[in-house]
Amino acid sequence: MRSLLILFLMCTCLCSYGQGISGMVSDKKTGQPLAGTWVATSKANVITGIQGEFSIATEKNNDTLRVKMQGYKLFVLPLNSANNKNIRIGLDAAVIELGEVHVTGKRDRIKDSLNNRKMFAKEFNSSPPKLKDMIAVSGSNAGLLPVAGITIVPSQFIRALTYKHSREYKFKKVLIRDEERRYIDSRFSESLVGTVTNLKGDSLLDFMDKYRPGIELLKKMSDYDIRVYIKTSQQKLMGDSLVKTK
C-alpha cells in the first residue's frame, strides 16, 4: 500500500510539473510549411521539422510560446487550457518601413542562407568523429580498451556509430533541405515560369508542382537551359492533354 501511495505521488508531481504541446508553423500568406523555425517556451526550445511541425514541453500554467524565423515577425502566444493542444501558427513576413511607405522585403536566398549558416554554424559544421578522434596512445588516460598500443575512446566511438541518429545530424539535414528548396524556388520561380508559359493561377501552380526540377538537375542548368526545360515541359503537358482528349 505504501509503495502504491509513493507511486501515486510521483505521478502526480510529474503531471503537475509540466506538459507538452505540438503544432505546425507556416507562412501566413502562402501556407507553405516553415522548416528550421525556432520555437521556445520557458521549459525548452526546439526547431521545426521539414513540414514545419514541432513538439515542445511547457509549464502547466502561465507559459508563453515564442516563434522566430529569419525574415519573419516574431510570434508570441500566451498559453492557456484553451490553446495548448494542436496549434497552427502562421508567420507574417517582416516589413521594412521607409517613412510612410511599407515595403515587404524580397527574400534574398543567398543572404538568408549565409545568415542561417552563421546562426546555426554548430549544426552545419557538425560531423561524425574521425579515426584520430577515436583513438589515443595507451597510457594517456583518454579512454579504455587498450588495443595494440592504442586506447579506444568509447564516447567518440559510440558517437561515430550513432551520429546519423543524433539531433544535430537530423537538424543539419533539415537546414540543407531548406537551402535546396530556396535555391529551386529562386531559379524555378512563379514569375519566370509564368512569363515563359503564360500560365496563371491554379494552372501555373499545378504546372510548377508537376515539373519542379530536382536540385541536382537544376545545378547543372544555365538560365537558358531552365527556360528550354520549361518550354519543353509545357509542350509535353499539352501533348499529354491532347492524348487524353482523343
Side-chain angles (χ1 to χ4, degrees):
M1 185 67 181
R2 182 179 179 184
S3 298
L4 289 174
L5 179 60
I6 293 173
L7 181 60
F8 173 78
L9 291 174
M10 289 176 63
C11 291
T12 302
C13 291
L14 287 172
C15 290
S16 62
Y17 179 73
Q19 59 184 7
I21 64 170
S22 60
M24 191 190 83
V25 181
S26 62
D27 184 296
K28 190 172 183 178
K29 184 177 180 181
T30 66
Q32 183 175 9
L34 295 176
T37 304
W38 182 77
V39 181
T41 64
S42 61
K43 290 180 65 66
N45 60 81
V46 298
I47 301 297
T48 58
I50 193 64
Q51 295 299 323
E53 76 281 2
F54 70 89
S55 182
I56 190 170
T58 68
E59 291 289 353
K60 189 171 184 180
N61 297 305
N62 302 321
D63 208 340
T64 300
L65 187 73
R66 298 171 66 85
V67 183
K68 183 170 62 174
M69 176 68 168
Q70 182 77 25
Y72 290 87
K73 294 180 181 178
L74 173 67
F75 179 90
V76 179
L77 176 67
L79 297 173
N80 54 55
S81 58
N83 67 357
N84 64 357
K85 301 300 180 183
N86 192 26
I87 302 175
R88 299 184 70 86
I89 299 169
L91 296 186
D92 290 307
V95 175
I96 303 172
E97 185 174 337
L98 299 173
E100 296 182 355
V101 179
H102 294 271
V103 180
T104 301
K106 183 178 179 181
R107 301 297 296 275
D108 185 322
R109 177 187 62 80
I110 297 177
K111 184 177 180 180
D112 283 351
S113 295
L114 291 174
N115 285 339
N116 275 345
R117 284 184 175 265
K118 182 177 180 180
M119 184 182 301
F120 302 112
K122 179 180 177 182
E123 287 77 8
F124 268 115
N125 296 327
S126 69
S127 61
K130 296 180 174 59
L131 182 61
K132 64 181 180 64
D133 299 319
M134 292 187 285
I135 62 174
V137 178
S138 294
S140 65
N141 297 321
L144 303 175
L145 308 176
V147 178
I150 64 172
T151 297
I152 298 175
V153 184
S155 60
Q156 295 296 320
F157 182 70
I158 293 172
R159 184 169 181 271
L161 293 177
T162 61
Y163 174 72
K164 288 191 175 181
H165 300 284
S166 67
R167 176 188 173 278
E168 58 185 341
Y169 174 79
K170 292 177 180 178
F171 184 36
K172 179 178 180 179
K173 296 290 285 185
V174 168
L175 292 171
I176 291 174
R177 282 196 295 268
D178 187 53
E179 273 196 352
E180 292 176 347
R181 175 181 60 79
R182 292 174 186 274
Y183 177 78
I184 296 173
D185 289 344
S186 69
R187 301 197 67 198
F188 190 71
S189 64
E190 283 189 37
S191 59
L192 174 62
V193 178
T195 299
V196 175
T197 63
N198 291 320
L199 295 174
K200 296 180 180 179
D202 290 341
S203 297
L204 173 60
L205 296 178
D206 289 342
F207 175 85
M208 292 184 67
D209 183 61
K210 183 174 182 178
Y211 294 103
R212 182 179 175 87
I215 184 68
E216 295 303 326
L217 175 62
L218 199 59
K219 283 181 177 179
K220 298 175 182 177
M221 291 181 176
S222 65
D223 290 344
Y224 175 77
D225 292 334
I226 295 174
R227 287 178 173 270
V228 172
Y229 169 81
I230 294 170
K231 267 296 183 185
T232 303
S233 299
Q234 186 180 25
Q235 291 169 0
K236 183 177 185 303
L237 178 66
M238 293 172 65
D240 291 344
S241 299
L242 288 174
V243 170
K244 290 180 180 179
T245 57
K246 289 182 180 180

